[in-house]
PDB file of all heavy atoms in Angstrom:
ATOM      1  N   SER X  97      45.445 131.559 -42.101  1.00  0.00           N
ATOM      2  CA  SER X  97      45.273 130.787 -43.328  1.00  0.00           C
ATOM      3  C   SER X  97      44.527 129.488 -43.058  1.00  0.00           C
ATOM      4  O   SER X  97      43.643 129.089 -43.824  1.00  0.00           O
ATOM      5  CB  SER X  97      46.639 130.497 -43.957  1.00  0.00           C
ATOM      6  OG  SER X  97      47.301 131.705 -44.276  1.00  0.00           O
ATOM      7  N   HIS X  98      44.862 128.807 -41.945  1.00  0.00           N
ATOM      8  CA  HIS X  98      44.172 127.566 -41.617  1.00  0.00           C
ATOM      9  C   HIS X  98      42.701 127.821 -41.323  1.00  0.00           C
ATOM     10  O   HIS X  98      41.832 127.037 -41.722  1.00  0.00           O
ATOM     11  CB  HIS X  98      44.848 126.895 -40.416  1.00  0.00           C
ATOM     12  CG  HIS X  98      46.067 126.118 -40.787  1.00  0.00           C
ATOM     13  ND1 HIS X  98      46.009 124.978 -41.567  1.00  0.00           N
ATOM     14  CD2 HIS X  98      47.374 126.315 -40.505  1.00  0.00           C
ATOM     15  CE1 HIS X  98      47.235 124.500 -41.739  1.00  0.00           C
ATOM     16  NE2 HIS X  98      48.083 125.290 -41.111  1.00  0.00           N
ATOM     17  N   ASP X  99      42.400 128.908 -40.624  1.00  0.00           N
ATOM     18  CA  ASP X  99      41.010 129.218 -40.310  1.00  0.00           C
ATOM     19  C   ASP X  99      40.216 129.592 -41.550  1.00  0.00           C
ATOM     20  O   ASP X  99      39.004 129.365 -41.618  1.00  0.00           O
ATOM     21  CB  ASP X  99      40.937 130.358 -39.289  1.00  0.00           C
ATOM     22  CG  ASP X  99      41.410 129.920 -37.908  1.00  0.00           C
ATOM     23  OD1 ASP X  99      41.424 128.695 -37.666  1.00  0.00           O
ATOM     24  OD2 ASP X  99      41.782 130.784 -37.105  1.00  0.00           O
ATOM     25  N   ILE X 100      40.894 130.180 -42.535  1.00  0.00           N
ATOM     26  CA  ILE X 100      40.207 130.575 -43.764  1.00  0.00           C
ATOM     27  C   ILE X 100      40.029 129.391 -44.704  1.00  0.00           C
ATOM     28  O   ILE X 100      39.067 129.331 -45.470  1.00  0.00           O
ATOM     29  CB  ILE X 100      40.992 131.702 -44.466  1.00  0.00           C
ATOM     30  CG1 ILE X 100      40.952 132.976 -43.611  1.00  0.00           C
ATOM     31  CG2 ILE X 100      40.418 131.999 -45.838  1.00  0.00           C
ATOM     32  CD1 ILE X 100      41.847 134.076 -44.134  1.00  0.00           C
ATOM     33  N   ARG X 101      40.940 128.414 -44.643  1.00  0.00           N
ATOM     34  CA  ARG X 101      40.934 127.329 -45.619  1.00  0.00           C
ATOM     35  C   ARG X 101      39.627 126.537 -45.614  1.00  0.00           C
ATOM     36  O   ARG X 101      39.080 126.213 -46.670  1.00  0.00           O
ATOM     37  CB  ARG X 101      42.126 126.402 -45.339  1.00  0.00           C
ATOM     38  CG  ARG X 101      42.171 125.132 -46.180  1.00  0.00           C
ATOM     39  CD  ARG X 101      42.263 125.427 -47.665  1.00  0.00           C
ATOM     40  NE  ARG X 101      43.489 126.081 -48.019  1.00  0.00           N
ATOM     41  CZ  ARG X 101      44.631 125.430 -48.261  1.00  0.00           C
ATOM     42  NH1 ARG X 101      44.669 124.122 -48.191  1.00  0.00           N
ATOM     43  NH2 ARG X 101      45.708 126.099 -48.591  1.00  0.00           N
ATOM     44  N   THR X 102      39.091 126.211 -44.432  1.00  0.00           N
ATOM     45  CA  THR X 102      37.891 125.362 -44.371  1.00  0.00           C
ATOM     46  C   THR X 102      36.677 126.028 -45.022  1.00  0.00           C
ATOM     47  O   THR X 102      36.059 125.443 -45.927  1.00  0.00           O
ATOM     48  CB  THR X 102      37.592 124.972 -42.919  1.00  0.00           C
ATOM     49  OG1 THR X 102      38.708 124.264 -42.388  1.00  0.00           O
ATOM     50  CG2 THR X 102      36.353 124.090 -42.844  1.00  0.00           C
ATOM     51  N   PRO X 103      36.272 127.242 -44.618  1.00  0.00           N
ATOM     52  CA  PRO X 103      35.119 127.845 -45.308  1.00  0.00           C
ATOM     53  C   PRO X 103      35.400 128.155 -46.764  1.00  0.00           C
ATOM     54  O   PRO X 103      34.487 128.114 -47.603  1.00  0.00           O
ATOM     55  CB  PRO X 103      34.859 129.126 -44.505  1.00  0.00           C
ATOM     56  CG  PRO X 103      36.139 129.424 -43.810  1.00  0.00           C
ATOM     57  CD  PRO X 103      36.766 128.099 -43.528  1.00  0.00           C
ATOM     58  N   LEU X 104      36.652 128.427 -47.101  1.00  0.00           N
ATOM     59  CA  LEU X 104      36.973 128.716 -48.497  1.00  0.00           C
ATOM     60  C   LEU X 104      36.801 127.469 -49.355  1.00  0.00           C
ATOM     61  O   LEU X 104      36.286 127.533 -50.479  1.00  0.00           O
ATOM     62  CB  LEU X 104      38.401 129.242 -48.597  1.00  0.00           C
ATOM     63  CG  LEU X 104      38.912 129.560 -50.000  1.00  0.00           C
ATOM     64  CD1 LEU X 104      38.041 130.618 -50.651  1.00  0.00           C
ATOM     65  CD2 LEU X 104      40.353 130.036 -49.930  1.00  0.00           C
ATOM     66  N   THR X 105      37.230 126.318 -48.846  1.00  0.00           N
ATOM     67  CA  THR X 105      37.062 125.071 -49.595  1.00  0.00           C
ATOM     68  C   THR X 105      35.584 124.771 -49.818  1.00  0.00           C
ATOM     69  O   THR X 105      35.170 124.346 -50.912  1.00  0.00           O
ATOM     70  CB  THR X 105      37.725 123.912 -48.834  1.00  0.00           C
ATOM     71  OG1 THR X 105      39.108 124.218 -48.631  1.00  0.00           O
ATOM     72  CG2 THR X 105      37.600 122.623 -49.619  1.00  0.00           C
ATOM     73  N   ALA X 106      34.787 125.014 -48.774  1.00  0.00           N
ATOM     74  CA  ALA X 106      33.344 124.800 -48.922  1.00  0.00           C
ATOM     75  C   ALA X 106      32.750 125.755 -49.953  1.00  0.00           C
ATOM     76  O   ALA X 106      31.916 125.357 -50.798  1.00  0.00           O
ATOM     77  CB  ALA X 106      32.652 124.977 -47.573  1.00  0.00           C
ATOM     78  N   LEU X 107      33.175 127.019 -49.912  1.00  0.00           N
ATOM     79  CA  LEU X 107      32.675 127.998 -50.868  1.00  0.00           C
ATOM     80  C   LEU X 107      33.061 127.619 -52.288  1.00  0.00           C
ATOM     81  O   LEU X 107      32.249 127.719 -53.224  1.00  0.00           O
ATOM     82  CB  LEU X 107      33.217 129.385 -50.518  1.00  0.00           C
ATOM     83  CG  LEU X 107      32.883 130.526 -51.481  1.00  0.00           C
ATOM     84  CD1 LEU X 107      31.376 130.748 -51.537  1.00  0.00           C
ATOM     85  CD2 LEU X 107      33.602 131.804 -51.072  1.00  0.00           C
ATOM     86  N   LEU X 108      34.300 127.178 -52.468  1.00  0.00           N
ATOM     87  CA  LEU X 108      34.757 126.795 -53.800  1.00  0.00           C
ATOM     88  C   LEU X 108      33.973 125.592 -54.313  1.00  0.00           C
ATOM     89  O   LEU X 108      33.581 125.539 -55.491  1.00  0.00           O
ATOM     90  CB  LEU X 108      36.255 126.477 -53.759  1.00  0.00           C
ATOM     91  CG  LEU X 108      36.955 126.200 -55.091  1.00  0.00           C
ATOM     92  CD1 LEU X 108      36.785 127.372 -56.038  1.00  0.00           C
ATOM     93  CD2 LEU X 108      38.430 125.917 -54.864  1.00  0.00           C
TER      94      LEU X 108
END
Side-chain angles (χ1 to χ4, degrees):
S97 300
H98 279 294
D99 290 340
I100 293 172
R101 174 61 65 84
T102 300
L104 178 60
T105 302
L107 175 63
L108 186 57

